[in-house]
Amino acid sequence: MVEASVGHIADIPEKKNSVDVDNGFAVEYVLTPKGRETITHLRQQLKKASMLILATDADREGELIAAHLVEFLKPTVPVQRVEFRSVTKDAVEKALAQPRQIDASLVEAAKTRRILDRLYGFEVSPVLWRKVRQNLSAGRVQSPAMRLVVERELERHQFVSAGYFDIDATSATSPAFVAKLTAVDGQRIATGKDFDSKGALVNDVRAISIEMATAIATVLESGPSALTVSSSAEKVYSRFPQRPFTMSSLYQAAGNRLGMSTAEARVVSQQLFDHGHITYPRTDNGAFGREALAKVRHAVKEVFGDALLSPKARYISGAGKNAQAAHEAIHPTRMLVRRPAGLTPRQQALYELIWQRTIATQMSDASGVTVSITLQTTAATSPTVDCEFSASGTTITSPGFRLAYGFDEEDEKEKALPALAVGESVPMESFTMLQHATAPPARFTEASLVKELEELGIGRPSTYASIIAKLRERYIWSKKGERALVPTITAFAVHRIMTQYFQPLVDYTFTQIMEKDLDRITSGEQMRDLLLTDFYFGAGGEWPGIHPLIESTIKTIDPKQLFAIDLGLHPTTGESMLIKPGILRKGTFSPYLQCGEATRSISDQTMLDELDIPAMVALLSAQAVVVGHIDGVPVIVKTTSTGSYFQLGNKEALPAGSKKPRTAGLLSHMTPETVTIEDAIAMFSLPRTIGSHPQTGHDIVAHFGKFGAYIVCGEDSRSLKDETALFSLILGDAVALLAIPKKPRGNFRGKK
C-alpha cells in the first residue's frame, strides 16, 4: 500500500529557548497538529505491513521528513529508504532495487537550516515587536527579500524623470518600416539610457528640445518626403534555446507567460508531479539525465522531424553540488504526451509550458538575417540640420526551437525591411515628433523577485513560494488586477531598523555565505555545531554573532524617534514630513503622517507615488467637517491619504448599539466640500437587500467597498458600473446581471 506523509510532520516549537544555545544547540522536534494526524493514520497502516519503504523527496528536507517518520512511527518492521525523480514504472522499480540508508549529512543540513531560521527569528522578531508593533517577523531569507522590495520602491520615489524628444519616420515602402532619428549634425541624440536617476545627462549626446524636434518634423513633413540610404549592414541572427526548467525558472516563466503567482506555480507543479505527469519540480539543476535526454531527442524527431533536431545534445547533467541540484531538470515523464487527460485548465497550461520548454532544448537554433540601415537628409530649418535616421529588421529563415516554445518578451521577432541599396532614395509616408520620459525602475513582481533572489544566491528556490507568502502576509501587497509588489508602510519601518542597526543580517553576501555553508554540511565539509556557534555567539572577526549584536544594539533604538520614511520639508513651515508606522492597539494600528504637531492617519497600504508634496500638504490641512446628524449622532467627513469617508459618531456620541463609530465611503462623484447629510444617509443605508434570487433563494445584496459598487448573491458577485444603481437596482435586473458569466480574472496570457 502507498501512503502520503504530506510534507513535514514535525518542527521546532515556536517559543523562546526551544533551541538550547548553551548545550550544543540541542532541539526537540515535536509533531505538528497535521503531523499527529498523519502519524496516527500511518501507525494503523503500518500494522498491516511487513516493511516500511520511505520515498520522500531526495533533498535535505525530504531526508529530514524520512528521519522523522522513523523517529515517530517507531517501526518494528525493516525500513528501507529509496529515491526516485519521476513517478514512472521504470523509475520506481529502479529505486526499489537500490535501497539505501537515511543520509545523516542531509538530515544534519536540514536541521541546521531550521535551527538557523529559528535563531534568526527568535533574536530579531522580538526587536520588531518592541520597537515597531506585534505580529511582525524577521527571517534569514525573508528579511533580505523584503529589503529588495523596499529599496526598489525607494529608488522609484527618489527617481527624477527626464523628458527627451525624437522623430519617427514611417516609410511608404512595402513592407513599411519605421526609422528613428538617432543623430543631428553628426552627434547622437539622447535616449532614455543617457540619463541618470536624477534626470541628468551622463553621456556625450545631444538632447534636442521640443522646439527643434517639432521644427524638424514639420519641415520634413512638408518638404520632399524621402530619405537616402547612407549605409547598410547585415549580420547573422541566431538564438539557441534556454535550459530546461528548474523550480526558479519555472516560477519566472509561469508568472510571465501564464500570470501565475509563485504559490500557484508551486501547487500546480506539485499536482502534476503527484499524478506522474512531470519529474520532481523542486530542483536547482537545469540539465537532463542521459536517459531523459534520449527520450527528449526521440520526441523531437517524432513531433518535428529530424531536420529540427539539434546536431548536438544540449544540457546533459552530472551530479550536482547540493541535494536539489542532484535532481535533473523538470520535464514531462512521457515526452510524446502534450495534453494528458484529466487536467484542469491551469494544470494543462503549466504542463504544456514545461513540455514546450523541454522539447525546445533539443531543437535547432532559430536563425536568420538582421539588416541595419542608416538614412540621411537635411532639414531646411533655420539653421539647416543634418538628420540621420536608423532602422533594423530581422528575417527569420529557420524558426528552429521557436516552433515549440515561441517567443519571450525580450526576443527579437521577425520584422523584415524591404531590399534597399546604399544611395537609394526611400519615400516616406510621415514624420512624427515624439515626446518621451525616462521611467523609474519597475517594481518587483513575484517572478522578477524570484529571479533576483536566485541571482544573489539568497535562499533556495524550493523556499521562495513560502517566503513570498510570508512577505504578502506582513510586508507587501499588490493593487487589484496588478502583479507588482508594493511594500507597506510597516515594511519601510522594519527596513529602517534592519539596515540602520542590523545591517549584517540583511547583507546579501552574508546570506549567500550561509547558503554555501549549509551545502558544505550536506557534503560533510562543515561541522554543524561550529557553524551555529559562529552564527549565534560570533567568530571573533567582523561578524559579532547575532546574539551579541542584538544585545548591544537594542537599547539604542528609540521607538519614539523611529519613522518609516522622511518625505522632505513642508514648503510653508519648513518642518519635516515623516511617515511613522503607528502602534498596535486592540488588534489594529494605523500609520500616520506627522509634520510638527500635526498628524494624519494613512493606510498601511499607501504607495509613495500618492505621497507627493502637494498631496501631503493637502492632507495635513484637511479638516474633519460635520455635515449633519443621524438620530442625534454627528456625521463627520474625514480625509486620509487614500481618500475621504463618512464617519458616524465620535468618542462623545456613538451610534445606538455600536461600540465604535461607523464608517462609509464616498461615491466617485462626491467630494468632501459638496457632500450633504442626505448623501451620508444614503451611504449608511448600505448594504441594501434587493430581494431573493428566484432560483437559489439567496438574498441579493448591494454593497459599496474598497473597489467600488457590487452585488452579492451567496458566493457569487458582480461589479456595478453605475454606482447610483446601488440604490435603484431592481430584482429582475440584478438576476439578469448575475446570469452574465464573469470575465476571467488574473493575468493569463496565451501562447505567443
Side-chain angles (χ1 to χ4, degrees):
M1 73 193 112
V2 178
E3 295 286 344
S5 56
V6 196
H8 284 282
I9 59 169
D11 202 356
I12 303 171
E14 290 190 40
K15 63 180 181 180
K16 193 167 185 175
N17 301 324
S18 61
V19 178
D20 190 346
V21 297
D22 297 319
N23 188 27
F25 300 93
V27 294
E28 181 181 359
Y29 277 82
V30 298
L31 290 172
T32 64
K34 183 67 176 176
R36 282 194 293 271
E37 294 178 12
T38 300
I39 289 297
T40 298
H41 173 71
L42 291 179
R43 280 175 180 162
Q44 294 299 319
Q45 299 300 94
L46 192 56
K47 293 176 182 178
K48 311 170 191 176
S50 58
M51 178 178 290
L52 174 62
I53 300 175
L54 303 169
T56 51
D57 296 340
D59 57 18
R60 60 192 185 208
E61 299 303 315
E63 208 72 10
L64 180 57
I65 293 170
H68 280 153
L69 287 169
V70 173
E71 177 183 349
F72 290 100
L73 284 174
K74 297 180 172 52
T76 57
V77 296
V79 178
Q80 290 186 351
R81 172 74 167 110
V82 301
E83 60 178 80
F84 46 84
R85 289 156 174 87
S86 61
V87 188
T88 63
K89 182 178 179 181
D90 289 346
V92 173
E93 287 180 343
K94 184 176 180 180
L96 291 172
Q98 298 176 339
R100 62 171 176 81
Q101 298 297 312
I102 291 176
D103 189 320
S105 295
L106 283 174
V107 174
E108 278 296 290
K111 286 184 175 180
T112 305
R113 194 272 304 173
R114 199 69 185 114
I115 293 170
L116 283 170
D117 289 344
R118 280 286 189 259
L119 292 174
Y120 194 120
F122 289 158
E123 293 291 329
V124 184
S125 296
V127 177
L128 305 182
W129 303 341
R130 290 170 59 182
K131 305 301 183 180
V132 185
R133 64 177 176 86
Q134 293 287 323
N135 303 329
L136 299 179
S137 65
R140 183 178 55 89
V141 178
Q142 176 193 145
S143 295
M146 184 199 69
R147 175 188 170 190
L148 286 169
V149 176
V150 170
E151 292 186 354
R152 176 62 56 86
E153 195 71 14
L154 290 172
E155 286 180 58
R156 289 174 56 84
H157 183 66
Q158 295 159 5
F159 183 84
V160 178
S161 182
Y164 61 98
F165 304 88
D166 60 19
I167 296 170
D168 273 2
T170 304
S171 74
T173 57
S174 182
F177 65 92
V178 175
K180 283 193 170 293
L181 179 67
T182 52
V184 293
D185 291 335
Q187 186 176 21
R188 184 169 69 83
I189 67 170
T191 62
K193 65 184 179 182
D194 296 308
F195 296 90
D196 64 16
S197 62
K198 301 299 181 184
L201 279 172
V202 292
N203 295 315
D204 183 19
V205 295
R206 181 175 181 178
I208 63 174
S209 65
I210 186 172
E211 293 80 12
M212 174 179 275
T214 302
I216 293 173
T218 301
V219 167
L220 293 179
E221 183 79 23
S222 60
S225 299
L227 300 177
T228 302
V229 179
S230 57
S231 68
S232 178
E234 287 187 2
K235 66 176 182 179
V236 173
Y237 168 89
S238 181
R239 294 291 185 274
F240 59 87
Q242 297 169 292
R243 286 183 169 274
F245 283 130
T246 61
M247 171 165 270
S248 174
S249 59
L250 179 63
Y251 283 173
Q252 295 167 48
N256 293 330
R257 287 198 168 204
L258 305 177
M260 283 188 176
S261 66
T262 54
E264 184 184 10
R266 177 183 63 175
V267 169
V268 176
S269 62
Q270 187 65 40
Q271 290 168 344
L272 293 174
F273 173 69
D274 290 344
H275 289 88
H277 297 302
I278 65 170
T279 54
Y280 184 63
R282 294 174 61 183
T283 177
D284 294 353
N285 187 6
F288 298 113
R290 294 192 176 276
E291 182 181 346
L293 182 70
K295 291 180 179 179
V296 177
R297 292 181 65 80
H298 172 72
V300 172
K301 290 193 289 185
E302 290 292 318
V303 177
F304 293 101
D306 289 347
L308 285 171
L309 182 68
S310 61
K312 292 184 178 179
R314 294 188 180 97
Y315 310 128
I316 308 172
S317 69
K321 293 182 180 180
N322 58 64
Q324 279 76 18
H327 298 283
E328 60 184 338
I330 304 168
H331 61 77
T333 54
R334 293 169 293 168
M335 301 297 181
L336 291 173
V337 178
R338 185 165 185 170
R339 291 186 172 275
L343 298 185
T344 67
R346 295 302 266 172
Q347 289 171 344
Q348 176 58 44
L350 189 63
Y351 176 86
E352 188 152 358
L353 185 67
I354 294 168
W355 184 90
Q356 291 170 339
R357 178 79 158 240
T358 300
I359 295 297
T361 63
Q362 303 305 315
M363 294 177 68
S364 58
D365 295 350
S367 59
V369 176
T370 296
V371 177
S372 300
I373 61 171
T374 56
L375 306 101
Q376 292 185 329
T377 191
T378 299
T381 53
S382 181
T384 60
V385 177
D386 292 330
C387 301
E388 182 178 288
F389 291 79
S390 298
S392 65
T394 298
T395 301
I396 297 177
T397 55
S398 175
F401 72 93
R402 302 229 180 275
L403 289 174
Y405 195 60
F407 289 87
D408 279 324
E409 287 183 352
E410 67 274 12
D411 292 329
E412 189 172 2
K413 308 207 174 36
E414 185 168 14
K415 183 183 64 177
L417 292 179
L420 299 171
V422 173
E424 184 174 345
S425 181
V426 183
M428 307 307 290
E429 180 72 26
S430 63
F431 293 88
T432 307
M433 188 277 291
L434 299 174
Q435 181 176 358
H436 307 277
T438 56
R443 290 186 175 97
F444 283 109
T445 63
E446 290 191 10
S448 60
L449 181 59
V450 163
K451 182 178 181 181
E452 188 75 7
L453 289 170
E454 185 178 40
E455 289 179 352
L456 290 171
I458 298 173
R460 282 279 177 256
S462 58
T463 67
Y464 290 159
S466 60
I467 291 298
I468 290 174
K470 289 179 182 177
L471 290 177
R472 281 200 176 277
E473 182 182 346
R474 298 178 175 95
Y475 296 120
I476 61 176
W477 60 285
S478 297
K479 292 182 70 174
K480 185 180 181 182
E482 297 184 7
R483 290 187 287 156
L485 303 179
V486 185
T488 60
I489 299 301
T490 300
F492 285 103
V494 172
H495 171 266
R496 179 168 292 276
I497 284 183
M498 296 299 293
T499 54
Q500 185 171 344
Y501 297 99
F502 307 116
Q503 173 66 29
L505 296 176
V506 289
D507 184 86
Y508 303 136
T509 303
F510 177 82
T511 52
Q512 287 173 2
I513 293 171
M514 196 62 66
E515 289 296 335
K516 291 177 181 177
D517 285 339
L518 290 172
D519 288 340
R520 292 174 62 205
I521 291 176
T522 300
S523 63
E525 303 171 42
Q526 169 82 41
M527 297 296 292
R528 186 197 80 154
D529 287 358
L530 180 59
L531 172 62
L532 293 173
T533 298
D534 289 350
F535 174 71
Y536 190 77
F537 292 111
E542 294 183 4
W543 169 240
I546 190 171
H547 185 66
L549 174 65
I550 289 174
E551 286 291 300
S552 64
T553 306
I554 191 170
K555 295 178 182 178
T556 67
I557 306 173
D558 183 357
K560 295 181 180 179
Q561 300 301 316
L562 176 66
F563 62 91
I565 319 157
D566 184 344
L567 294 173
L569 303 178
H570 193 289
T572 303
T573 68
E575 295 173 304
S576 293
M577 293 188 288
L578 305 174
I579 300 296
K580 294 198 170 183
I583 300 172
L584 186 71
R585 289 192 179 96
K586 296 181 180 179
T588 63
F589 79 103
S590 177
Y592 59 95
L593 169 64
Q594 181 178 41
C595 183
E597 296 298 318
T599 61
R600 291 292 184 273
S601 294
I602 61 174
S603 168
D604 200 34
Q605 294 184 354
T606 298
M607 303 173 72
L608 293 192
D609 299 356
E610 301 168 352
L611 295 174
D612 57 13
I613 298 295
M616 288 187 292
V617 171
L619 178 61
L620 288 164
S621 61
Q623 299 295 319
V625 177
V626 177
V627 295
H629 292 75
I630 297 177
D631 297 330
V633 179
V635 176
I636 308 163
V637 180
K638 291 189 170 183
T639 300
T640 70
S641 63
T642 56
S644 301
Y645 63 94
F646 292 112
Q647 177 177 300
L648 177 59
N650 52 30
K651 292 181 180 178
E652 289 73 33
L654 293 171
S658 296
K659 295 183 179 180
K660 61 181 180 179
R662 289 182 59 197
T663 59
L666 274 62
L667 300 183
S668 58
H669 71 275
M670 298 176 181
T671 65
E673 296 78 20
T674 61
V675 291
T676 64
I677 187 61
E678 286 74 20
D679 293 326
I681 291 171
M683 296 310 297
F684 281 116
S685 72
L686 298 172
R688 178 178 75 94
T689 300
I690 299 170
S692 297
H693 196 290
Q695 295 176 349
T696 67
H698 293 300
D699 284 343
I700 303 176
V701 184
H703 291 264
F704 184 74
K706 182 178 180 181
F707 300 111
Y710 61 99
I711 59 173
V712 173
C713 182
E715 296 184 357
D716 201 7
S717 64
R718 294 292 185 280
S719 297
L720 296 176
K721 294 181 180 179
D722 179 8
E723 292 176 334
T724 61
L726 285 165
F727 313 105
S728 60
L729 190 68
I730 62 175
L731 182 60
D733 291 341
V735 172
L737 179 59
L738 288 164
I740 300 172
K742 277 187 176 181
K743 294 182 179 179
R745 295 183 63 184
N747 297 295
F748 179 80
R749 292 157 59 187
K751 287 188 287 184
K752 302 183 180 181

